Amino acid sequence: DYDKASEIADPQVNQQQRKLLSNAIAKADNATISNPQVNQVQSTNGQSIATVSYSINGKTVDDSLSISKSGSQFVIFPHWKITTPLVKSITVSAPDTVDSLSVNGVEVTAKNAEKTGDGTWNLRVYPGTYAISTGKSDYVTSRTVSVRTNESTEALLNVKATSKLQEALSTA
């Protein structure tokens, strides 16, 4: 439940960029992790590092997150807060003319990502598999590129002109 995870833990991502940390992104086939396990927890001074493992597309990934005590529940049970979540980055390169991306079928604009002037998009996501292509456009399109956060987290979108753009250029 990505929505609940973002409520429980501060994903350290600004509010507009949390669009990629939502259940809408997780709905795609094979998008989310499976078989999550906590392997070890090491604590010092109220701060703990949890070593975890999970599977993405059948491959086991080892990772870690930081948690800290933030009070108690029912007086005796400690309440924990995730201080360093499992948020990953995906870098997408596309021509600067691309105004939006489609990530697992969800339209993402520059306000939902960190986009630089050279067409590089930095997407903040939870571990998983992401299908990325150009967003809805009358003039450009691309093939869908699959990115898994446990493998290469860089994608290059090869953009092609649509027939509508070709017609507009011919008319002009």
Side-chain angles (χ1 to χ4, degrees):
D1 188 338
Y2 284 18
D3 292 337
K4 193 167 198 156
S6 290
E7 290 173 21
I8 294 171
D10 176 6
Q12 300 169 5
V13 175
N14 81 38
Q15 198 64 35
Q16 290 180 327
Q17 291 178 3
R18 290 184 189 191
K19 183 173 188 176
L20 296 172
L21 303 176
S22 68
N23 286 342
I25 292 291
K27 287 181 183 176
D29 291 340
N30 300 319
T32 60
I33 64 172
S34 60
N35 305 320
Q37 296 179 3
V38 176
N39 299 328
Q40 181 180 13
V41 178
Q42 294 179 327
S43 299
T44 55
N45 300 331
Q47 190 77 320
S48 298
I49 304 290
T51 304
V52 298
S53 64
Y54 49 84
S55 297
I56 297 177
N57 201 37
K59 295 182 181 176
T60 301
V61 178
D62 293 318
D63 213 333
S64 64
L65 56 109
S66 300
I67 56 178
S68 63
K69 289 183 182 178
S70 64
S72 61
Q73 296 174 329
F74 308 111
V75 182
I76 58 172
F77 299 108
H79 185 268
W80 294 90
K81 179 179 180 178
I82 298 172
T83 53
T84 307
L86 295 176
V87 176
K88 308 297 180 192
S89 290
I90 295 174
T91 303
V92 180
S93 297
D96 196 37
T97 56
V98 173
D99 293 332
S100 65
L101 300 175
S102 174
V103 180
N104 287 0
V106 174
E107 195 82 7
V108 176
T109 64
K111 73 178 183 180
N112 307 122
E114 297 168 15
K115 183 181 178 191
T116 63
D118 66 353
T120 301
W121 298 66
N122 185 34
L123 310 176
R124 304 284 286 162
V125 296
Y126 285 126
T129 302
Y130 296 89
I132 303 168
S133 63
T134 56
K136 294 178 185 173
S137 170
D138 290 337
Y139 301 111
V140 295
T141 187
S142 73
R143 286 187 21 234
T144 300
V145 177
S146 183
V147 177
R148 294 182 182 92
T149 57
N150 64 316
E151 296 174 356
S152 174
T153 56
E154 295 182 6
L156 173 63
L157 292 183
N158 292 315
V159 177
K160 294 182 181 180
T162 64
S163 59
K164 188 171 183 176
L165 176 60
Q166 292 171 351
E167 289 171 20
L169 290 173
S170 294
T171 302

